Amino acid sequence: MESKTFGYGRVSSKEQNEERQLVAFREFGIDERDIYIDKQSGKDFNRENYITLKHILRENDLLVIKSIDRLGRNYSQIIEEWQDITKNIKVDIVVIDMPLLDTRKNKDLLGTFISDLVLQILSYVAEQERTFIKQRQSEGIDIALKNGTKSGKPFGRPKIEKPQDFDIVVNRWKNKEIKSKEAMKLLGLKPNTFYNMVHSL
């Protein structure tokens, strides 16, 4: 079976935009159908699209992520997942923002040691950053309460409703019956809106 390349991205909430990650995947040459995005916290790996992708991965496939914190933010779990994917499933991983983390290269003992060392350092940094963010949020809430103000979400752009035949058209697109341009035309959607809706499924 021919090996495939997949992209995995993550943002912490539905309000955040994953476009930077999508652009990086497109530039890497990854097919839109093979990009999986979760809009969920990185505290653990219990994420719908990540779990789906992991079941799809086969030996000699390639998994591409933009940065290590997009994979997750829990130090020990990142290491565990990395080992499971590379050693058990035998899939290569590329971290776009960190060229040293490319398991296709330097498969000798020294190369593996360097990759593992860099991975552990970056995973630790990702977890520390998560801890600092939580601390800053907590301090901000405390200050707001002392000042008698409430924290709230800013108003965003109104949510665009999915067209009536969205699921049917997307299924035809995923099955390669129609091209993306035709799918967008049928649904009356712009490219960014179309892809954002697809990746939020």
Side-chain angles (χ1 to χ4, degrees), residues 24-41:
F25 294 146
R26 289 170 196 146
E27 289 176 351
F28 200 92
I30 302 173
D31 193 300
E32 295 286 346
R33 298 172 181 83
D34 298 323
I35 297 173
Y36 291 76
I37 302 284
D38 276 310
K39 295 191 174 185
Q40 201 171 332
S41 164

Side-chain angles (χ1 to χ4, degrees), residues 50-172:
Y50 177 79
I51 292 168
T52 300
L53 172 59
K54 203 171 171 187
H55 278 105
I56 292 170
L57 290 172
R58 296 291 179 265
E59 186 173 344
N60 296 323
D61 283 346
L62 175 64
L63 174 60
V64 180
I65 55 176
K66 179 80 167 63
S67 58
I68 197 67
D69 63 335
R70 297 305 88 198
L71 184 61
R73 288 190 178 276
N74 183 299
Y75 170 69
S76 58
Q77 287 186 7
I78 291 173
I79 301 292
E80 193 176 303
E81 286 296 314
W82 185 281
Q83 297 294 337
D84 190 32
I85 291 168
T86 58
K87 302 292 193 301
N88 298 333
I89 308 176
K90 294 183 171 59
V91 168
D92 278 314
I93 302 179
V94 168
V95 180
I96 295 173
D97 288 351
M98 180 53 63
L100 279 172
L101 288 177
D102 183 345
T103 62
R104 299 172 302 174
K105 303 174 184 175
N106 305 320
K107 287 185 178 285
D108 59 3
L109 189 61
L110 179 59
T112 302
F113 171 76
I114 291 171
S115 290
D116 286 349
L117 185 61
V118 172
L119 172 65
Q120 291 195 36
I121 292 170
L122 289 177
S123 300
Y124 174 77
V125 169
E127 184 170 4
Q128 285 300 104
E129 178 61 19
R130 178 169 168 259
T131 302
F132 292 147
I133 288 170
K134 278 183 150 183
Q135 184 179 335
R136 288 195 293 268
Q137 287 174 340
S138 177
E139 288 170 352
I141 291 168
D142 287 344
I143 291 169
L145 288 172
K146 283 177 184 175
N147 292 337
T149 59
K150 295 179 181 178
S151 59
K153 291 182 181 178
F155 289 104
R157 285 178 292 184
K159 185 178 178 182
I160 299 173
E161 292 295 323
K162 286 182 181 176
Q164 189 174 355
D165 297 328
F166 182 80
D167 292 334
I168 296 169
V169 173
V170 168
N171 281 333
R172 289 182 64 197

